Amino acid sequence: GNSVTQMEGPVTLSEEAFLTINCTYTATGYPSLFWYVQYPGEGLQLLLKATKADDKGSNKGFEATYRKETTSFHLEKGSVQVSDSAVYFCALSISGNQFYFGTGTSLTVIP
Amino acid sequence: GAGVSQSPRYKVTKRGQDVALRCDPISGHVSLYWYRQALGQGPEFLTYFNYEAQQDKSGLPNDRFSAERPEGSISTLTIQRTEQRDSAMYRCASSSVLGTEQYFGPGTRLTVT
C-alpha cells in the first residue's frame, strides 16, 4: 500500500539551528512527494514538492530531495527562524488521485 | 483571489443528528478533495471530485458519509446520524489540474456530543 512515515515530534530548536525532519514513504508506483506546513490557526499550505527521483524541491530556505533508493524525502533548513514554528506534514500522491499524509511534526523555534 | 472557504468553521451537534459541511473551492478549480484530520494526525483522504463527478469515495468510513458537488463548484459533505467518533477537523482542498498543488481551506471543526 501507500503510506508516509515521518519523524515524531515535537521538535524544539534555537533560532539559527539546523533543521532536519525525516520522512520515508512506501508507494505502489511512482509517487510525487510534498511537504505541507500548517502555521498556528491556519490551513495547510504547500511548502515544496518533487515529482521524480533526484528532484530537489525548495522554498523559503527549506529543501528536500526525492531519494528513490532510500524512499526518503527529508526536509532540511540551514538556519531556522522563530517564524518557522509550525506543524510540517510529508505527503505523497500517486497519479494525483489520492494524497497520503504523515502524522505531522511540530516544530517550535525559540529565540 | 479568494482561497478555499469552508463553513461552518465550528459545528457542535448531538449524537444522532445529521450535519452538512460546505466547501467553496477556488474559482475554476477542477478537482476538490475532502479529508478528515484527527487531533495529532495528518489529513486522511475521504473522497474527491473532478468537476461534478465523484471519482473516488473509497476513503469514506461508512455509508453515513456522503458527498456531492452537483454543479462542479461548491461541495457538501454530509454525515448522517452522527456519532462521537465522527468528531474531527474536516478539511477541503481544491486544485486546478489533477495532481498539482492542493489549496486547503481552514477546515470545519466538528464536535459530536
Side-chain angles (χ1 to χ4, degrees):
Chain A
N2 301 306
S3 66
V4 173
T5 301
Q6 65 180 101
M7 181 174 131
E8 289 190 15
V11 174
T12 302
L13 295 173
S14 297
E15 206 165 23
E16 299 183 3
F18 184 85
L19 169 71
T20 300
I21 301 178
N22 290 339
C23 171
T24 57
Y25 67 89
T26 302
T28 55
Y30 300 96
S32 295
L33 302 174
F34 305 81
W35 276 100
Y36 278 81
V37 58
Q38 184 174 17
Y39 297 105
E42 298 184 14
L44 280 78
Q45 305 172 27
L46 179 67
L47 179 60
L48 54 85
K49 67 179 181 182
T51 57
K52 62 183 189 298
D54 299 325
D55 270 2
K56 178 186 283 188
S58 61
N59 185 26
K60 299 182 181 180
F62 290 89
E63 292 184 340
T65 301
Y66 188 143
R67 301 286 189 200
K68 187 177 177 184
E69 63 276 14
T70 54
T71 61
S72 65
F73 193 56
H74 305 321
L75 182 68
E76 296 183 337
K77 186 173 185 180
S79 176
V80 293
Q81 305 301 313
V82 172
S83 57
D84 294 327
S85 298
V87 181
Y88 293 82
F89 293 91
C90 186
L92 71 83
S93 172
I94 305 285
S95 303
N97 290 336
Q98 289 193 22
F99 279 70
Y100 299 84
F101 285 82
T103 54
T105 301
S106 175
L107 170 67
T108 300
V109 180
I110 55 177
Chain B
V4 178
S5 61
Q6 292 185 244
S7 60
R9 293 291 307 277
Y10 303 91
K11 177 70 177 178
V12 180
T13 190
K14 292 188 176 180
R15 184 166 52 92
Q17 297 294 305
D18 298 350
V19 295
L21 312 181
R22 172 183 165 131
C23 173
D24 198 343
I26 293 173
S27 178
H29 274 195
V30 168
S31 301
L32 185 149
Y33 303 77
W34 281 101
Y35 295 87
R36 178 170 67 175
Q37 186 175 10
L39 200 61
Q41 300 295 314
E44 174 194 15
F45 171 82
L46 296 178
T47 185
Y48 89 96
F49 295 81
N50 279 345
Y51 300 101
E52 72 281 2
Q54 191 170 20
Q55 298 293 324
D56 186 339
K57 56 181 181 179
S58 63
L60 295 176
N62 52 61
D63 60 8
R64 295 187 296 106
F65 288 72
S66 62
E68 62 175 9
R69 193 186 185 199
E71 297 179 0
S73 179
I74 294 169
S75 177
T76 303
L77 177 70
T78 301
I79 309 173
Q80 296 178 313
R81 305 181 302 281
T82 52
E83 301 177 5
Q84 285 188 322
R85 59 179 172 156
D86 299 334
S87 297
M89 176 73 82
Y90 288 83
R91 296 196 185 275
C92 172
S94 68
S95 66
S96 57
V97 174
L98 188 65
T100 59
E101 177 178 357
Q102 294 191 345
Y103 294 81
F104 280 82
T108 295
R109 170 74 66 188
L110 175 66
T111 302
V112 182
T113 61

